[in-house]
Amino acid sequence: LTLDLVERLGKAATLWSGRGRVFVGRDTRASGPDLEEAFARGVAAAGGSAVLAGVLPTPAVALLALDLGVVISASHNPPEYNGVKLFDRHGSKLTDASEEEIEALLDAPERGGGTIDRVDVYTESYLDHVLERFGTDLTGLRVAVDCANGAYAGIAPEAFERLGAEVTAIGDVPDGTNINTGCGATDLSLLQETVRGGGHDLGVAFDGDGDRMLAVDGNGAVVDGDQILAILALHLRVDVVAVTVMTNLGFHRLMGERGIRVVTTPVGDRYVLEALRRENAILGGEQSGHVICLRGHVTGDGLAAALLLCDAVRGRTLAEAAAVMPRFAQAQENVRVARREVPQVALAEAERLNAELDGDGRVLVRASGTEPLIRVLGEAETEEKALQYCGRIADLVKRELG
């Protein structure tokens, strides 16, 4: 990202939003302040009002969005990257069509006359909101909290402490260069070591901007987004849940046994959120740790999910709670290609194999939405079979596309 491009994006997004009141937050990357300033200049150039809240988790920005909510963040990616996330006034990520409309305004003339204000009270407002709607008494719980050296540093540990938990905070000293580095939801090794060595009941880890959360049990074993979602679906007694095509077959099996309908979407928390609103449902998520609960919220929220999980496992260990969901082995392979187009022969073979497996396994082949890759997933009750199914389809893709 260049400062000029971000400034033009600020102008275009403000023009698109109508009245032009834009709420802006960022994560802890060193490039954040400069990009924040550039975006704000664009807002002012379009005649809008920019409210800069400083470091704030993505779900807080979605919750507090004005005519537009903006997060300067590259989410779970390394510190050298950065980006811009846009939310509408309802806290929803923008559709592809809306993003194209904004792109068409990048070179629109300036209007001028806008304002830029800096306000630092929103962290407390967000924390109060999450604690009121998702917090329960956690007295006696020993929890390790990995903040990924990101936007939740200082916020998440305080949330658990206010609820009575005994907290060990790690990844809570951001310096602009260490976000998502050897910590957080993208690298659970530090959390696992902390939990095993400190006698904790469980550990939770966020990514840099706070919209995803993963956990480890008291033995340090990883509890992924599918397992977390399964625990919450049973705890909240929902009758429908939305997930993506990557969700483990074991989740589908458990939901079927419990009479809970599963709606499946393409990969991406945006599509999960769209499905939830379409179905008038409250719970959905992804294996990667995006967990969305619309009970008093507008989007996925790592802290809200972590608090719900702690409430759901009271009286038992996280390992016991997670064991309710059988897990199929998954094998994945990414095939680098010149064009992102899945060969028909691979699609046909995947369809034939899935019909043959009849729910005892599956294969999924799809083009990446962002990279020149064809992604292949094989899933079965044993790792050997999962690798076999994945390899069969991946070999077809390689043969057809070279």
Side-chain angles (χ1 to χ4, degrees):
L1 287 176
T2 65
L3 295 179
D4 176 67
L5 176 59
V6 172
E7 184 171 342
R8 290 165 61 209
L9 179 58
K11 176 193 65 178
T14 303
L15 293 172
W16 175 87
S17 71
R19 288 180 293 174
R21 298 175 303 151
V22 183
F23 186 83
V24 185
R26 58 180 171 84
D27 66 22
T28 58
R29 295 164 207 272
S31 59
D34 287 343
L35 293 175
E36 177 187 58
E37 289 288 340
F39 196 95
R41 288 195 300 270
V43 172
S49 300
V51 177
L52 307 186
V55 174
L56 205 60
T58 286
V61 175
L63 186 68
L64 299 165
L66 300 172
D67 296 314
L68 197 69
V70 178
V71 187
I72 308 299
S73 173
S75 190
H76 59 279
N77 289 293
E80 61 268 26
Y81 295 94
N82 218 331
V84 180
K85 294 183 180 183
L86 302 176
F87 295 87
D88 66 20
R89 66 189 63 187
H90 305 295
S92 297
K93 288 183 179 179
L94 301 189
T95 64
D96 291 339
S98 294
E99 290 177 349
E100 289 172 1
E101 291 171 2
I102 291 173
E103 288 178 10
L105 294 170
L106 285 173
D107 296 318
E110 297 181 1
R111 293 178 180 174
T115 61
I116 300 175
D117 295 306
R118 292 169 178 81
V119 186
D120 60 3
V121 300
Y122 289 103
T123 297
E124 194 66 24
S125 297
Y126 163 72
L127 187 53
D128 287 344
H129 176 90
V130 172
L131 290 177
E132 179 183 340
R133 286 160 179 78
F134 301 98
T136 53
D137 184 6
L138 301 181
T139 301
L141 183 74
R142 295 165 298 169
V143 58
V145 180
D146 187 342
C147 303
N149 290 314
Y152 269 136
I155 298 177
E158 181 181 346
F160 281 93
E161 288 171 352
R162 282 197 197 180
L163 296 172
E166 180 183 328
V167 179
T168 300
I170 58 176
D172 61 334
V173 189
D175 63 8
T177 67
N178 60 359
I179 186 172
N180 299 319
T181 302
C183 59
T186 54
D187 186 346
L188 294 172
S189 57
L190 178 60
L191 182 63
Q192 291 173 305
E193 180 182 344
T194 302
V195 168
R196 289 177 183 140
H200 297 84
D201 296 306
L202 74 158
V204 296
F206 308 103
D207 67 340
D209 73 325
D211 64 355
R212 69 166 70 178
M213 183 275 297
L214 294 177
V216 301
D217 66 24
N219 299 313
V222 175
V223 178
D224 68 17
D226 290 344
Q227 294 168 293
I228 293 168
L229 200 58
I231 294 168
L232 296 185
L234 301 182
H235 175 64
L236 297 174
R237 299 181 179 179
V238 300
D239 54 11
V240 59
V241 63
V243 299
T244 76
V245 293
M246 297 299 293
T247 294
N248 196 281
L249 277 177
F251 178 89
H252 290 269
R253 179 172 290 182
L254 174 64
M255 294 298 104
E257 292 172 352
R258 299 302 180 94
I260 300 173
R261 183 165 62 92
V262 179
V263 177
T264 303
T265 78
V267 173
D269 61 319
R270 181 179 76 183
Y271 300 111
V272 173
L273 183 57
E274 289 173 358
L276 291 176
R277 290 185 170 151
R278 186 174 62 249
E279 298 286 336
N280 195 29
I282 67 164
L283 185 67
E286 295 187 281
Q287 191 178 82
S288 60
H290 288 117
V291 176
I292 302 172
C293 181
L294 298 183
R295 191 188 68 181
H297 215 328
V298 297
T299 191
D301 186 312
L303 179 56
L307 295 179
L308 283 172
L309 179 65
C310 290
D311 183 43
V313 302
R314 282 192 299 180
R316 54 183 172 161
T317 67
L318 179 55
E320 290 169 341
V324 71
M325 190 195 98
R327 295 189 71 195
F328 280 57
Q330 291 185 327
Q332 299 185 50
E333 184 171 349
N334 295 324
V335 182
R336 187 161 293 276
V337 294
R339 65 181 189 279
R340 288 181 289 173
E341 183 178 334
V342 181
Q344 285 300 315
V345 64
L347 289 172
E349 177 61 12
E351 183 177 355
R352 186 199 68 76
L353 183 54
N354 284 331
E356 178 184 308
L357 292 171
D358 191 26
D360 289 330
R362 66 162 177 158
V363 291
L364 174 68
V365 56
R366 63 185 181 89
S368 167
T370 57
E371 302 175 81
L373 300 172
I374 302 298
R375 303 190 187 278
V376 184
L377 168 73
E379 195 167 6
E381 292 185 340
T382 68
E383 184 176 0
E384 181 182 4
K385 288 184 177 179
L387 287 167
Q388 176 187 336
Y389 301 153
C390 178
R392 185 186 306 183
I393 303 302
D395 287 346
L396 278 175
V397 173
K398 294 172 186 175
R399 189 183 71 192
E400 292 296 311
L401 299 181

